[in-house]
Amino acid sequence: MSDGTAGAAMGEDLGVRLERHRVELTGYCYRMLGSSFEAEDAVQDTLVRAWRSYDKFEGRSSLRSWLYRIATNVCLDMLTAGNKRARPMDLAESTPLAQAALSPRPDHTWLEPMPDARVLPTVEDPAEAAVAKESVRLAFMAALQQLPPKQRAVLILREVLAWKASEVAELLGTSVASVNSALQRARATLSERAEAGADATVSDPLDEEQQRLLERYVAAFEGYDMTALTALLHEDAIMTMPPFDLWLTGHDDITGFMTTLGSGCEGSRLLPVRVNGLPGFAQYKPDPEKGGFSPWAIQVLEISDGRLTGFHFYLDTQRWFPLFDLPLHLDGESDEVEQGA
């Protein structure tokens, strides 16, 4: 085999080895950054850096540990601006329906949704899979955003990925004592925050009660039956609609909004998606100009004690629907779309 052929074969093999880590690295960067697209950019940067500097990799740690070191540095560099991704309820008080106004904020303000398949590797251990799902739920992701970047990295590596303190210390170039101190401070910060949605209880897979709840939700929403929808909502349920900073509390204000400012959603279709370790739907609204249905929102639902406690509508369809491998138009009632993400 010629040197050129051997080099090409080694390059192809390295590319395959690096690619095997893409999903777990995306999950790590997503938890660090709170942004779907920034996470994917960070992982791409990580893999390119690894490819270019592989000849300097001395093998003193595993390839996986080395990639996490690169990804951590990439994320820490991206977080130097100090931007904290948020949900509407992290920024302001809820608005009574009578004062509701749709005021958008820039994209970089918001904690972004993410398809499960892009951040949750397939694992055989059910307990490990459950921890992974819980760690990308919106409430936990929002709590992570309150931590300084290095504390965030320590908490994710230690408590989500189950790294040893000595491994985290080596990755960050610090001491075990420093890692343990950072973890203690991070835990204290999270325990002080009463997170909306933190008590969401979702089985994996969904149990029969949760599945029936979602079926009733789809029937109520597609039928725009506010009486049926009210019966499914917790009395303190929350509704958000990024990029708008408005958020509503309680079934009266939520259903009141849906029949006034949100009345254009009547007649929508919902297709199931897997998002942030929670049940979700892609919502398509009737399109009076083209006919059929056009994308409107990615919905993320939170469930507790047999009721919906939160539903979050992410409205930037030109960004979210391609991320979830969803079409940007449905022709009519006969459309059947398989969720690819």
Side-chain angles (χ1 to χ4, degrees):
M1 183 181 291
S2 68
D3 289 345
T5 305
M10 185 178 70
E12 180 180 3
D13 178 61
L14 176 59
V16 171
R17 290 168 63 200
L18 294 176
E19 193 63 31
R20 288 190 191 121
H21 298 278
R22 181 180 290 275
V23 173
E24 65 170 309
L25 287 172
T26 304
Y28 176 62
C29 293
Y30 175 60
R31 295 177 185 101
M32 284 290 291
L33 301 170
S35 164
S36 318
F37 297 102
E38 286 183 2
E40 296 201 327
D41 288 346
V43 172
Q44 193 60 32
D45 190 4
T46 295
L47 297 181
V48 169
R49 291 189 192 189
W51 180 279
R52 289 176 177 171
S53 59
Y54 186 72
D55 58 339
K56 300 175 184 176
F57 173 51
E58 298 175 353
R60 288 181 295 181
S61 63
S62 68
L63 176 62
R64 179 173 181 260
S65 297
W66 184 57
L67 289 172
Y68 269 93
R69 179 181 291 118
I70 298 172
T72 300
N73 289 332
V74 170
C75 290
L76 292 177
D77 287 345
M78 294 174 73
L79 289 167
T80 53
N83 179 50
K84 295 180 180 179
R85 298 272 175 166
R87 303 165 300 170
M89 53 274 211
D90 300 320
L91 302 178
E93 297 296 321
S94 67
T95 305
L97 177 60
Q99 300 171 19
L102 299 177
S103 304
R105 295 202 190 192
D107 290 339
H108 62 74
T109 306
W110 303 115
L111 180 64
E112 298 178 345
M114 186 62 127
D116 283 2
R118 290 182 184 257
V119 292
L120 298 176
T122 301
V123 294
E124 295 182 3
D125 182 353
E128 185 180 342
V131 169
K133 281 198 168 188
E134 289 170 4
S135 70
V136 294
R137 291 181 183 168
L138 296 175
F140 184 76
M141 290 287 299
L144 284 176
Q145 296 296 300
Q146 304 306 311
L147 300 176
K150 285 194 176 179
Q151 283 187 30
R152 200 179 307 177
V154 168
L155 184 84
I156 296 167
L157 290 166
R158 290 282 284 119
E159 304 228 314
V160 177
L161 301 177
W163 284 38
K164 297 176 182 177
S166 58
E167 294 172 327
V168 178
E170 182 180 355
L171 181 145
L172 294 175
T174 188
S175 67
V176 170
S178 177
V179 167
N180 289 336
S181 176
L183 179 61
Q184 186 176 13
R185 292 196 303 273
R187 285 172 173 167
T189 299
L190 297 193
S191 67
E192 290 170 1
R193 295 179 57 84
E195 285 298 327
D199 59 346
T201 52
V202 181
S203 301
D204 183 25
L206 297 176
D207 63 32
E208 290 186 14
E209 181 184 8
Q210 292 165 350
Q211 191 61 54
R212 286 196 298 271
L213 176 64
L214 293 181
E215 290 169 358
R216 292 168 63 197
Y217 171 74
V218 170
F221 196 97
E222 290 188 340
Y224 231 59
D225 183 340
M226 295 300 112
T227 300
L229 185 60
T230 296
L232 305 179
L233 296 177
H234 190 278
E235 61 181 9
D236 296 323
I238 287 172
M239 176 180 175
T240 70
M241 291 162 286
F244 301 115
D245 56 15
L246 169 73
W247 65 284
L248 301 166
T249 305
H251 44 64
D252 289 344
D253 276 4
I254 290 172
T255 56
F257 177 88
M258 292 177 66
T259 54
T260 54
L261 291 175
S263 61
C265 290
E266 185 170 357
S268 292
R269 287 191 58 197
L270 301 182
L271 301 179
V273 295
R274 296 177 291 276
V275 51
N276 285 84
L278 293 165
F281 294 95
Q283 178 190 344
Y284 289 81
K285 286 197 338 182
D287 189 328
E289 296 182 2
K290 298 180 181 178
F293 300 84
S294 293
W296 181 246
I298 295 293
Q299 301 182 6
V300 186
L301 306 186
E302 292 167 333
I303 300 172
S304 182
D305 297 327
R307 296 286 185 93
L308 295 173
T309 55
F311 56 145
H312 310 283
F313 295 70
Y314 289 89
L315 303 180
D316 193 345
T317 55
Q318 295 300 316
R319 302 175 76 213
W320 304 132
F321 277 59
L323 182 71
F324 283 80
D325 295 335
L326 290 161
L328 292 177
H329 188 77
L330 297 182
D331 289 334
E333 292 297 330
S334 63
D335 283 285
E336 292 291 340
V337 177
E338 180 179 350
Q339 169 60 20

